[in-house]
């Protein structure tokens, strides 16, 4: 089957999840206070919103890029993709937890586990559609396919480290979490090297 429906449905879930994040900032009780007091009390919520917005944005770009190379879809691929969307749609909840309990390592752990599962299921999707080139475009080299899989799996190691540090230094934990979207958003030679492909590969768009 074609990939148009999976693109449209996925884009809708991403859009709703990223929009719901802003509701974590809304607190009528705090709004009644002075503007200075309100902003001071809400700064963890605002930072959590920005972090999750940028992170989901990175996942959307990664998903869009993977789908670009997908030629066809079957039922198994649809359900693996639905698992990824399950964790994307869940993101507003762990974002709410770290907004109001940012010093609690349990909240940070739930947040990192959600991100890890998003990466894991997204990597599973790419592995499935690219295995034996069953659903991807022809001409993609094995090296290129492997590099995309590695890029999708690497953030999980960062999130595991962030969980470990959350029980000792919550600020180091959040720094590690923020490194992931920063790595993919900011231009850097390392990501360019990872995605460097030879003439036999298709261009990365």
């Amino acid at each position: 089957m074609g990939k148009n429906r999976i693109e449209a449905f996925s884009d809708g879930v991403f859009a709703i999840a990223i929009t719901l994040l802003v509701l974590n900032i809304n607190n009528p009780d705090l709004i009644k206070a002075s503007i200075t007091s309100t902003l001071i009390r809400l700064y963890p919520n605002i930072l959590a919103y920005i972090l999750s917005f940028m992170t989901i944005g990175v996942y959307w770009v990664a998903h869009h890029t993977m789908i670009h190379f997908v030629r066809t879809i079957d039922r198994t691929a649809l359900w693996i993709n639905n698992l990824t969307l399950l964790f994307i749609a869940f993101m507003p909840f762990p974002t709410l937890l770290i907004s109001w309990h940012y010093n609690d390592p349990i909240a940070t752990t739930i947040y990192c586990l959600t991100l890890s599962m998003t990466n894991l299921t997204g990597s599973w999707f790419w592995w499935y559609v690219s295995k034996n080139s069953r659903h991807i475009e022809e001409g993609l080299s094995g090296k290129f396919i492997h590099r995309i899989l590695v890029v999708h799996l690497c953030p999980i190691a960062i999130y595991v480290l962030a969980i470990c540090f959350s029980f000792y230094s919550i600020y180091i934990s959040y720094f590690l979490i923020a490194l992931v979207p920063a790595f993919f958003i900011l231009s850097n030679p390392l990501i360019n090297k990872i995605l460097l492909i030879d003439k036999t590969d298709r261009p990365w768009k």
Side-chain angles (χ1 to χ4, degrees):
M1 64 185 75
K3 63 180 182 179
N4 292 338
R5 295 293 298 277
I6 194 174
E7 285 183 294
F9 180 67
S10 299
D11 285 348
V13 173
F14 274 98
I16 292 172
I18 210 168
T19 302
L20 290 177
L21 292 175
V22 75
L23 297 180
N24 294 329
I25 302 177
N26 184 26
N27 189 312
D29 294 332
L30 292 180
I31 298 299
K32 295 177 183 179
S34 66
I35 185 66
T36 302
S37 175
T38 298
L39 292 176
I40 292 175
R41 295 282 299 278
L42 285 177
Y43 90 88
N45 305 61
I46 296 172
L47 292 179
Y49 165 75
I50 294 174
L51 176 62
S52 293
F53 187 99
M54 302 307 292
T55 301
I56 293 179
V58 166
Y59 285 129
W60 177 79
V61 171
H63 186 273
H64 172 75
T65 305
M66 280 195 303
I67 293 296
H68 173 77
F69 294 107
V70 172
R71 178 173 40 85
T72 59
I73 292 292
D74 61 17
R75 286 177 58 86
T76 301
L78 285 174
W79 281 108
I80 297 174
N81 185 71
N82 283 344
L83 283 177
T84 302
L85 298 180
L86 182 152
F87 294 105
I88 289 295
F90 185 69
M91 273 299 293
F93 176 68
T95 302
L96 176 65
L97 291 181
I98 64 169
S99 295
W100 296 107
H101 306 281
Y102 57 91
N103 283 321
D104 192 330
I106 301 301
T108 308
T109 298
I110 295 173
Y111 188 84
C112 289
L113 287 176
T114 303
L115 295 177
S116 297
M117 290 305 300
T118 306
N119 276 92
L120 186 61
T121 54
S123 301
W124 183 17
F125 175 83
W126 177 251
W127 173 84
Y128 178 79
V129 298
S130 64
K131 186 178 181 181
N132 299 323
S133 299
R134 63 176 127 199
H135 291 299
I136 59 174
E137 295 184 6
E138 298 179 359
L140 294 179
S141 72
K143 181 186 295 185
F144 178 76
I145 293 170
H146 177 71
R147 286 179 177 178
I148 300 303
L149 184 62
V150 170
V151 168
H152 273 272
L153 287 173
C154 280
I156 297 177
I158 303 297
Y159 296 138
V160 171
L161 276 177
I163 292 174
C164 295
F165 273 107
S166 67
F167 293 90
Y168 301 97
S169 175
I170 201 70
Y171 296 104
I172 295 179
S173 179
Y174 285 124
F175 174 76
L176 290 171
I177 296 171
L179 278 181
V180 175
F183 178 80
F184 289 100
I185 294 172
L186 301 177
S187 178
N188 63 77
L190 182 57
I191 190 68
N192 293 332
K193 182 178 181 180
I194 291 174
L195 298 177
L196 185 64
I197 51 180
D198 56 40
K199 293 181 181 179
T200 62
D201 291 324
R202 297 293 300 272
W204 179 264
K205 296 182 181 180

